[in-house]
Amino acid sequence: MPADKTEFYKDIFSGDLDAATLTAEISLRVKDSHLVTGKTLIFLDEIQSCPQARTALKFFSIDKRYDVIASSSLLGLNYKDVSSYPVGYDVLR
């Protein structure tokens, strides 16, 4: 993916990290997206590239409207730049 496209998607996580704001940003930026509560899976690939996206995982977990999966091939290399880790939250329904 070209770097300019990566920055385009990173901008989704540049503001408030509450689930309502994030899903609104996703709906605006991801072409043809249609998020349906309880039926949509949000897949965040290569999440090590965006520390704010990693932090946002806990807000998605608290919100519980959407299932979220995060994938990373290099997460262990970039763990120090995260402001808050998504731990200590019940992710099971």
Side-chain angles (χ1 to χ4, degrees):
M1 178 180 302
D4 59 332
K5 199 67 166 168
T6 302
E7 291 304 315
F8 177 79
Y9 290 118
K10 278 183 177 181
D11 284 346
I12 291 171
F13 301 94
S14 65
D16 290 336
L17 295 180
D18 63 280
T21 300
L22 293 172
T23 54
E25 286 291 323
I26 291 168
S27 294
L28 288 171
R29 293 175 182 270
V30 179
K31 184 179 178 179
D32 298 326
S33 64
H34 181 70
L35 304 178
V36 178
T37 300
K39 295 186 180 214
T40 297
L41 170 68
I42 299 171
F43 186 88
L44 304 174
D45 193 21
E46 298 300 340
I47 198 166
Q48 81 277 355
S49 299
C50 184
Q52 290 299 91
R54 288 182 267 160
T55 301
L57 291 174
K58 68 181 167 188
F59 299 108
F60 279 122
S61 176
I62 292 167
D63 183 71
K64 296 191 185 303
R65 286 184 289 162
Y66 307 99
D67 292 320
V68 178
I69 294 176
S71 169
S72 173
S73 58
L74 301 170
L75 186 57
L77 299 177
N78 293 333
Y79 68 91
K80 293 179 181 176
D81 57 357
V82 179
S83 62
S84 177
Y85 289 95
V87 296
Y89 293 92
D90 178 17
V91 294
L92 302 176
R93 291 183 204 189

